[in-house]
Each structure stands twice: as C-alpha cells, then as structure tokens.
Amino acid sequence: MVSGLLAAGHRVSTCSRTPSAFIEELSNGPLSANFRYSRLDMGDLTAYDAFLEASVAWGGPLYGLVNNAGMAMAGLLASSRDADSERILRVNLLGPLAMSRLAAGCFLRQRTGGRIVNISSIIGSRGYKGLAAYSSSKAGLDGLTRALARELGRLQVTVNSIAPGYMKTDMSVEFTQDQLAQIVNRTPLKRLGTPKDVVGLLLFLLSDAAAFITGQVILVDGGLSC
Ligand SMILES: NC(=O)c1ccc[n+]([C@@H]2O[C@H](COP(=O)([O-])OP(=O)(O)OC[C@H]3O[C@@H](n4cnc5c(N)ncnc54)[C@H](OP(=O)(O)O)[C@@H]3O)[C@@H](O)[C@H]2O)c1
C-alpha cells in the first residue's frame, strides 16, 4: 500500500516496530523525499501524538489516515490468555480509535475535509474459528467506521473500511496449508489476495471520486462472501 500511495503521488508517513529491508529501500530510493518512517509500537497509544505531530510538520496538513497495522493470534478462546486478547484489541481497535481521534482533531482545525480508511477484515462480519479476539477487533473497527462517518461528515471527512479476504502476507502464515487450500477452493476467483489487490480501492477511497462515499465496509475478497 505504501508503494501504491507513493506511485500515485501521495506523501506517506508510516510506522512499524521494526524497519524492514523494504523500508530501507524506500528511504534511499527515488521517492524518498515523499516517504517518512518512524519506529513505533501501535500498542503504545501515548506515542501517537508525537508521531502525528512530526508527520504533519514534515508533510503539511493531514490529507488522510490509513489505519493498517494489525495482528492476530490463532487459538481457541477457551485456551487463550486474556493478556493476548487485550493486546490484539489494543493494536487492532484501540489504536485506530486513538489515532482517528487525533486525526479528527487535525481535520477540525484544518477545515480541509479529509479521509480515514480502516483496514478491517471479512472476519469482522463472518467470524473465523480460532480468531475470536481478532474477529471482535475487526467488527469493532467497522463500528468505528460507521460512527465516525456520522461524526465527521459535516467536515467533509469520509470514513470507510476496506475488508480484505484472505491475503498472501506474513499474517496468513497463521493458517495451515489445509485451511489455505479450503479458502482458495471456496473463493470464486480461486486464489488468495495480495496487498496489490487492495491498493486500487485504497487510492479510490482517498480520491475526490469517492467524496460522497462514507461509513461503508467494502469487501476485497475474491468473491468469497458473495
Ligand atoms: N493477511 C490477511 O489475510 C488479512 C486479511 C484481512 C485483513 N488483514 C489486515 O490487513 C492489515 C495488514 O495485515 P498484513 O496481512 O499485511 O499483515 P502483516 O504482513 O503481518 O503486516 C502487518 C504490518 O503491521 C505492522 N505492525 C504489526 N503490529 C504492529 C504494532 N504493534 N505497531 C506497529 N506496527 C505493527 C507490521 O510491522 P512490524 O511487525 O515491524 O511492527 C507490518 O508492517 C491488518 O490490519 C490485518 O488485520 C489481513
């Protein structure tokens, strides 16, 4: 998504816990002037303020926020630890809630309109055995999308969720080969998604063409939920 945003001419300020080879490459590449990276644990809500302030100081008024960082831990709820569920809910739901609050403050001050896109999951509406906390966090995120769309609409700020199906990323290593084969078999397009499959919709939701679309949860799942 960062590559897609940069290629479309956006300036991107992003974060993760560990700078990867991809981050290094972008930081030294031809689009480095439009790219800013901070090391940040989204589980530490107290660090958000400084991140956003530094991002705006670097990039100018906030145009949009994409809440993407997420985590999952597979396991039946009966044998899971409350501390793990809390961590999932903190990173996947409380984090976006807190970051959206700060972004809403920027949009209120700026009066420029804006965009918030939450990266949710079809599991938020369908559920998945062994992912109770994750499913709850994504269902909560979709609730945030709808409530905030109503709250920020008068400022011409749109808020939407993208709900991917099963994608080929580091996160899907949690699934067994059998589970993945079953998912592909049930997917009309007969494959897993890739991050590239999400980029088109993300760019659209950030664009002027989507100015009258808000409060929606839009699925990118190869037809799995149809
Ligand atoms: N993969 C799927 O099948 C799928 C399906 C539906 C929805 N999604 C959603 O799509 C989003 C991206 O997931 P992905 O599949 O790309 O997962 P991924 O490959 O595991 O990547 C997750 C990204 O989030 C960052 N991250 C995770 N925890 C973080 C934290 N506490 N603080 C800061 N950054 C953190 C990771 O970097 P660090 O580890 O370095 O922090 C990494 O860059 C998530 O919200 C996920 O729930 C994924």
Side-chain angles (χ1 to χ4, degrees), residues 16-18 40-42 68 119-120 134 138 165 167 169-170:
S16 68
R17 288 165 300 175
T18 324
L40 180 75
D41 182 349
M42 295 299 290
N68 174 61
I119 306 301
S120 173
Y134 181 82
K138 296 301 187 179
M167 319 292 282
T169 68
D170 288 349

Side-chain angles (χ1 to χ4, degrees), residues 7 23 28 44 47 58 60 69 71 73 106 118-119 124 172 196 212 219:
I23 300 291
N28 300 306
D44 177 11
W58 165 78
M71 61 175 292
M73 280 186 239
C106 282
N118 292 318
I119 306 301
S172 44
K196 273 190 185 159
F212 202 53
L219 276 54

